[in-house]
Amino acid sequence: MASCIAYNATILTEHSTASASGTPTLASLILPKIDHSSPQKLTYTHNQNFIHYVSSSPSEHPTTPSAGGLTYLVIAPSSCGRRLPFNYLLGLQTRFLAAFPPATTDFAALPPYGAAAFNSALKTLMHESSTARPADDALGNASAEIDDVRGIMTQNIERVLERGERIDLLVDKTDRLGGSAREFRIRSRGLRRKMWWKNVKLMVLLVFVIVFLVYLFVGFACGLPGESC
């Protein structure tokens, strides 16, 4: 299990368990793809892990817009489902904003791991969440699952990354095609000039030959130059 809090793509605080080797790298892949134009509550899947996050937007914090760039993220086994991780994230959001009030904190100015003082609280909250047992409330569980279906979109991280790679490849090919088209136009203009001059030279040579032939015919018909026909 791993968790972090970030401002846009800058991780401010994070903690991971010993069994979560390699999972923080997933966070660095997801964070740049998060859109803060509106609040989000989403889940990505990767192998046997779910990557859950809650992201804020400036519309939620009109007087403190830097808080609108915060993302609360947790990577947990798929066996944990969605309800418990999102309950954890909401509790994490509440504790973090209490420790770093938006009114007095410019999150945009914080450097990477600029909120490392929250690491111990993050570790404690992760431990509490992992050892908690859900209440035996069938109606509450069903309601929570319905909310999850309504509010959480599940995507596969490999497809997202593959789509990004394909887009980058398409942009690269488009740029190369554009360069080839410009080069083709330049070569076409040069070739047209060369063909035009070649045609002009042929026409001049043809006119010269016709004039010379007319001169010869007239000369044979009228005799040598100076003699009358």
Side-chain angles (χ1 to χ4, degrees):
M1 187 172 181
S3 182
C4 72
I5 301 173
Y7 175 79
N8 291 335
T10 302
I11 295 178
L12 302 178
T13 177
E14 70 175 351
H15 179 73
S16 60
T17 61
S19 60
S21 177
T23 52
T25 305
L26 296 176
S28 64
L29 295 175
I30 293 296
L31 289 172
K33 300 180 180 295
I34 296 177
D35 180 16
H36 290 274
S37 59
S38 61
Q40 291 185 340
K41 181 183 179 184
L42 302 178
T43 296
Y44 289 93
T45 64
H46 177 68
N47 297 330
Q48 300 302 314
N49 292 320
F50 278 3
I51 306 162
H52 315 273
Y53 73 83
V54 173
S55 64
S56 302
S57 73
S59 62
E60 294 180 296
H61 306 274
T63 59
T64 54
S66 70
L70 293 175
T71 299
Y72 309 87
L73 183 147
V74 63
I75 302 172
S78 57
S79 59
C80 292
R82 297 185 179 90
R83 187 170 62 88
L84 290 178
F86 277 105
N87 285 342
Y88 158 79
L89 289 175
L90 294 177
L92 175 62
Q93 181 180 29
T94 300
R95 291 198 189 183
F96 182 75
L97 294 181
F100 294 86
T104 58
T105 306
D106 184 3
F107 298 104
L110 293 179
Y113 300 98
F118 192 77
N119 285 2
S120 59
L122 182 59
K123 178 180 179 180
T124 300
L125 189 58
M126 286 179 61
H127 177 73
E128 293 174 354
S129 177
S130 63
T131 56
R133 292 291 181 270
D136 187 14
D137 183 355
L139 181 60
N141 290 342
S143 177
E145 290 299 329
I146 291 173
D147 290 340
D148 286 342
V149 172
R150 289 177 177 175
I152 302 173
M153 179 181 66
T154 302
Q155 298 182 13
N156 186 281
I157 187 172
E158 283 86 359
R159 292 182 181 178
V160 173
L161 297 177
E162 182 182 0
R163 184 170 67 246
E165 291 172 358
R166 289 180 178 175
I167 291 173
D168 292 340
L169 181 60
L170 179 60
V171 170
D172 180 62
K173 288 184 177 180
T174 302
D175 291 341
R176 283 186 290 177
L177 287 174
S180 299
R182 287 191 295 271
E183 184 178 355
F184 176 76
R185 286 196 296 270
I186 293 173
R187 290 182 178 180
S188 297
R189 285 196 294 267
L191 182 60
R192 282 198 298 269
R193 292 193 189 99
K194 290 181 180 179
M195 293 300 295
W196 184 82
W197 278 112
K198 186 176 180 179
N199 291 335
V200 169
K201 291 177 182 178
L202 288 175
M203 291 298 296
V204 170
L205 179 61
L206 181 62
V207 170
F208 176 78
V209 171
I210 292 174
V211 171
F212 180 72
L213 291 175
V214 170
Y215 173 77
L216 289 179
F217 290 148
V218 173
F220 285 129
C222 299
L224 297 174
E227 297 181 0
S228 59
C229 293

